[in-house]
Amino acid sequence: MAGEARRIVLLGAPGCGKGTQAARIAAALEIPAISTGDMLRAAVQAGSALGERVGGILNAGELVDDATMAEVVTDRLAQPDAADGYLLDGYPRTQSQADTLAGILDAAGQELDRVIQIDVAKDELVRRALGRQRADDTEEVIRKRLEVYEENTAPLVDYYRDRGMLRAVDGNQSIEDVTRSIMKELEAGG
Ligand code: AMP
C-alpha cells in the first residue's frame, strides 16, 4: 500500500505485546514479520551450529553477541521476501545492532521508515510475563530479560527519537486498539 511505512522496527520490553502486534501489522501490510527470537529458537530446535552456540544464552535471558546477530540479520534481510519491506521484531537490541541495521539499509540505498515503541508500565510487564511463562522460563529469567532490556535496548528509544523516526504507542490497550494505534502512526506521513 502506497504511503505507508514499509521498513519498520518494533521496540518494546519483553511482555509488551510486540510479537502479537508484529504478526498483525505485517499481515496487514503484506510484509514479513522478522523475529530474531523466533529465528534463534528455530536454530536451537534444529540443532544447527548457530543453535548449539546460542541455546544457553537464550535460556539465561541474555543477549546473543552483536557479531552473530549481524550475520543472522544480514542474511535474513537479503532474502527476496524482504525486498519490499519488513517489520523487525526483536532487532535491534543494542546500539551496535542499530548501527549494523543502519549500515545494511545504507548499503541497499534504503531507509528505515518508522520505529514504533510499544509502551507498557513495568509492573504490568512482569505480570504479563509471568502469565505467558514458557515451561523453561523461571521468574528469575523473566526479570533478567527485563533488566537486559532496560540496560541495552531502552536507550534505543532516544537513539531513534533523536533521528525523528520514533513514534510511541500506548500498549495498555486491547490488542485491537494497539494495532489501530500502530497503523495510524505508520500511515501518518513525515
Ligand atoms: P525474543 O523472542 O525477541 O524475546 O528473543 C528471545 C531471546 O533470543 C532473547 O532473550 C535473546 O537471548 C535472543 N535474541 C533475540 N533477538 C536478539 C538480538 N537482536 N540480540 C541478541 N539476542 C537476541
Side-chain angles (χ1 to χ4, degrees):
M1 277 183 269
E4 280 169 338
R6 312 268 327 158
R7 291 187 186 78
I8 305 159
V9 165
L10 276 193
L11 268 186
C16 78
K18 206 155 31 80
T20 301
Q21 295 299 331
R24 293 170 62 91
I25 300 293
L29 298 181
E30 297 178 23
I31 52 176
I34 298 179
S35 158
T36 47
D38 283 352
M39 291 172 71
L40 296 173
R41 275 186 292 274
V44 172
Q45 282 285 315
S48 68
L50 171 65
E52 296 269 301
R53 218 162 67 224
V54 303
I57 299 170
L58 264 68
N59 283 336
E62 283 167 3
L63 291 182
V64 173
D65 68 278
D66 291 332
T68 299
M69 293 312 300
E71 270 179 50
V72 167
V73 160
T74 301
D75 284 359
R76 183 62 187 88
L77 295 187
Q79 299 298 310
D81 69 329
D84 290 331
Y86 47 78
L87 187 154
L88 281 170
D89 161 18
Y91 191 95
R93 265 177 154 93
T94 66
Q95 175 74 58
S96 155
Q97 292 181 10
D99 292 338
T100 296
L101 178 60
I104 293 171
L105 287 159
D106 220 33
Q110 298 167 342
E111 283 182 15
L112 197 59
D113 295 308
R114 272 290 185 278
V115 177
I116 301 287
Q117 179 205 6
I118 303 178
D119 206 10
V120 174
K122 203 165 179 176
D123 290 354
E124 171 66 11
L125 291 172
V126 175
R127 203 185 62 77
R128 288 190 195 180
L130 289 171
R132 62 155 200 191
Q133 208 166 357
R134 287 185 287 262
D136 55 345
D137 284 353
T138 59
E139 182 170 347
E140 190 190 336
V141 170
I142 289 166
R143 287 193 189 280
K144 178 72 188 176
R145 285 207 189 96
L146 283 172
E147 213 177 276
V148 165
Y149 176 83
E150 285 297 328
E151 188 177 324
N152 299 281
T153 310
L156 295 183
V157 169
D158 287 338
Y159 172 95
Y160 285 120
R161 187 184 291 118
D162 289 348
R163 286 161 181 73
M165 291 180 214
L166 190 88
R167 299 288 185 279
V169 162
D170 178 7
N172 304 288
Q173 317 175 71
S174 69
I175 290 176
E176 289 75 16
D177 285 343
V178 175
T179 302
R180 257 191 291 277
S181 301
I182 294 174
M183 289 301 294
K184 212 160 65 194
E185 293 300 345
L186 294 178
E187 280 156 15

